[in-house]
Amino acid sequence: GDDEIFAALAPYGVPKVPVDIALDYAIDGKEKVMTLKALEVNLRGQAKLTLALVVDGISDKSSAMDDGKLRTASLTIDDSGLIAKVLPAMAKEEGIKAQELVDTALGALQGFATIQGPPTLKALDAVASFVADWKSPKGPLALGLKPTKTAGLEDLDKIMKPNALVDLFGFTATY
């Protein structure tokens, strides 16, 4: 990033460090498949995000939002201190404390968890543990999706069904 970008991020505690971005993807127009092998954003010494996915129904003439069906996805969040810097600044803008934002997120997870079974609870526990450890995460959070059949935006209405997150969307989380 340039100095202007870092100046805009400075109030959020984002340090001026090198940022590495890697993008490796392919679109097979004939098979209508987009493969994102990796989108990696590494804010050196602060955090690293890595996204990978495969989406069916994508060509040079289609829209991922309208035509895409998710086959698989993974996201790894490896925080080395960035959240502990950014969250308090964001909370201050809202006129609250950082822990209040964390408690709100944990409350939402807890509310969603009340109708879930053991496999879903295990995955949600990993997410909740990562959120609770925001000041000093104990390792990366790895999230995955592998729907039993490809999933599109129209399938999101099923998310509130008990265990749909794991049983239909193939959600996994480790921390």
Side-chain angles (χ1 to χ4, degrees), residues 33-167:
V33 175
M34 182 187 83
T35 303
L36 176 65
K37 291 181 183 176
L39 170 57
E40 184 176 287
V41 179
N42 185 359
L43 192 62
R44 291 187 200 168
Q46 301 299 307
K48 180 174 157 182
L49 302 171
T50 306
L51 175 67
L53 51 85
V54 177
V55 180
D56 292 324
I58 302 297
S59 70
D60 57 353
K61 295 176 178 58
S62 65
S63 161
M65 293 293 286
D66 296 332
D67 303 321
K69 302 283 187 188
L70 183 67
R71 189 187 306 171
T72 63
S74 66
L75 173 67
T76 301
I77 304 166
D78 192 358
D79 180 55
S80 304
L82 185 63
I83 295 172
K85 291 178 178 116
V86 173
L87 198 59
M90 289 174 57
K92 186 176 179 182
E93 274 191 354
E94 298 294 320
I96 60 176
K97 295 184 187 243
Q99 191 60 47
E100 290 178 65
L101 286 175
V102 171
D103 291 344
T104 299
L106 290 172
L109 282 169
Q110 185 177 20
F112 180 72
T114 59
I115 62 168
Q116 306 303 323
T120 304
L121 291 174
K122 182 180 177 186
L124 292 175
D125 183 58
V127 174
S129 295
F130 182 80
V131 171
D133 290 343
W134 69 276
K135 290 182 183 177
S136 183
K138 294 169 180 57
L141 174 65
L143 306 173
L145 288 174
K146 189 172 184 182
T148 53
K149 64 178 187 72
T150 57
L153 289 177
E154 69 276 3
D155 295 309
L156 288 179
D157 65 337
K158 298 174 183 103
I159 201 80
M160 294 306 290
K161 293 181 180 178
N163 295 315
L165 192 59
V166 170
D167 294 345

